[in-house]
Amino acid sequence: MTYTVNCSILLTELPLLERPAAAKAAGFDAVEFWWPFDTSVPSDAQVTEFETAIKDAGVQLTGLNFNAGNMPGGDRGLVSWKGRCSEFKDNIDVVAGIGERLGCKAFNALYGNRQDEFTPEEQDELAAKNLAAAAEGVARIGGTVLLEPVSGAPKYPLLTAEDALKVIARVKAESGAQNIKLLADFYHLAVNGDDVESVIENHAKDFGHIQIADNPGRGAPGTGTLPLGEWIARSRELGYDGYIGLEYKEPQESAFSWAIRQRANAN
């Protein structure tokens, strides 16, 4: 199984730049991150530090978020956020640059919360333009923009796979961009009441990425009731051949116990 460790939610006991090496020490060769900086356009020194941490750890960066705003404060993306359009556009170049230097091809663009002062239609129109710009920006390095349904954010409008797929279809129709795909986070989809089995049957071959956590609790696989192994296996059968992102909450000492058991059973 080809797993990639989300170092923005796992190994958080460590400073961010030490987490890639910790993932490597735990037996993984790939990592992904939410946006690891406080601003859309960090300093050259900050970017270099981040890239060096990845390279020195000897891991592959497989995924990176565009800046999503203040995530701990409740923000969930800039894509549809009227008033921050230029900031998002500036972020595209930084994201593409990091991707180019580290060989990363998958970039998650969180859609953004609804704003009371604007209509959903106004925000959706901006989102379609911003996603098209993002797709164009990463196309030059062979990159793909990912769009994700999210749970636990009351004002986030994309709750089901269908919600995200409708946006993707709009962007493709209006801009011609083809490098935008669904990020299927099985945890978020399940929590939001989506029919995960049906989503897999109908769309697995077109998934841009899969992420997993168990429910309840968003913990490690095996701590809840979701049939994650079955869902992953079926997605593989239907043509998904990418990484499986580990995006769950678990203390460092037990973060990967399930994977160690899995490897032991395989032997």
Side-chain angles (χ1 to χ4, degrees), residues 118-197:
F118 299 103
T119 67
E121 291 77 15
E122 288 175 312
Q123 285 193 260
D124 292 342
E125 181 179 4
L126 174 63
K129 293 176 180 177
N130 277 338
L131 288 168
E136 182 180 6
V138 302
R140 66 178 178 82
I141 63 168
T144 298
V145 173
L146 304 173
L147 192 63
E148 175 184 23
V150 168
S151 65
K155 291 189 174 184
Y156 192 89
L158 306 186
L159 302 180
T160 66
E162 189 61 32
D163 292 337
L165 288 166
K166 285 179 180 177
V167 175
I168 290 170
R170 175 178 180 171
V171 174
K172 288 182 174 181
E174 292 181 359
S175 72
Q178 296 301 308
N179 59 326
I180 176 168
K181 293 187 175 184
L182 175 68
L183 193 167
D185 184 310
F186 291 159
Y187 168 79
H188 287 312
L189 294 176
V191 168
N192 286 341
D194 209 350
D195 184 343
V196 180
E197 287 86 357

Side-chain angles (χ1 to χ4, degrees), residues 213-233:
D214 218 330
N215 186 52
R218 202 177 184 178
T223 60
T225 60
L226 299 184
L228 296 171
E230 295 174 22
W231 288 348
I232 292 168

Side-chain angles (χ1 to χ4, degrees), residues 1-183:
M1 188 60 65
T2 309
Y3 295 114
T4 181
V5 177
N6 190 303
C7 290
S8 293
I9 193 171
L10 282 163
L11 305 171
T12 55
E13 297 89 343
L14 299 171
L16 186 133
L17 296 182
E18 294 180 17
R19 296 174 201 171
K24 180 71 171 182
F28 297 92
D29 295 320
V31 297
E32 61 184 21
F33 277 85
W34 300 340
W35 186 241
F37 309 105
D38 292 332
T39 60
S40 288
V41 183
S43 69
D44 290 346
Q46 288 174 308
V47 172
T48 298
E49 279 186 332
F50 175 72
E51 293 176 356
T52 299
I54 302 288
K55 294 175 182 175
D56 286 354
V59 293
Q60 175 63 49
L61 181 69
T62 60
L64 182 66
N65 283 20
F66 292 91
N67 184 19
N70 178 10
M71 292 274 283
D75 295 345
R76 289 295 182 272
L78 305 184
V79 167
S80 65
W81 192 333
K82 291 182 72 67
R84 298 183 74 172
C85 183
S86 62
E87 184 184 349
F88 181 77
K89 295 285 181 59
D90 290 342
N91 186 230
I92 294 171
D93 288 336
V94 183
V95 168
I98 293 171
E100 183 173 31
R101 290 185 293 273
L102 294 181
C104 179
K105 304 287 189 183
F107 307 99
N108 185 15
L110 287 176
Y111 197 75
N113 295 324
R114 287 304 192 205
Q115 297 169 271
D116 294 336
E117 62 269 37
F118 299 103
T119 67
E121 291 77 15
E122 288 175 312
Q123 285 193 260
D124 292 342
E125 181 179 4
L126 174 63
K129 293 176 180 177
N130 277 338
L131 288 168
E136 182 180 6
V138 302
R140 66 178 178 82
I141 63 168
T144 298
V145 173
L146 304 173
L147 192 63
E148 175 184 23
V150 168
S151 65
K155 291 189 174 184
Y156 192 89
L158 306 186
L159 302 180
T160 66
E162 189 61 32
D163 292 337
L165 288 166
K166 285 179 180 177
V167 175
I168 290 170
R170 175 178 180 171
V171 174
K172 288 182 174 181
E174 292 181 359
S175 72
Q178 296 301 308
N179 59 326
I180 176 168
K181 293 187 175 184
L182 175 68
L183 193 167

Side-chain angles (χ1 to χ4, degrees), residues 216-261:
R218 202 177 184 178
T223 60
T225 60
L226 299 184
L228 296 171
E230 295 174 22
W231 288 348
I232 292 168
R234 185 58 177 156
S235 298
R236 296 285 193 211
E237 289 173 2
L238 293 172
Y240 178 75
D241 60 0
Y243 285 93
I244 306 297
L246 305 179
E247 196 187 51
Y248 55 81
K249 300 174 182 177
E250 194 73 27
Q252 183 181 355
E253 68 262 16
S254 58
F256 308 115
S257 299
W258 64 273
I260 295 169
R261 290 193 298 270

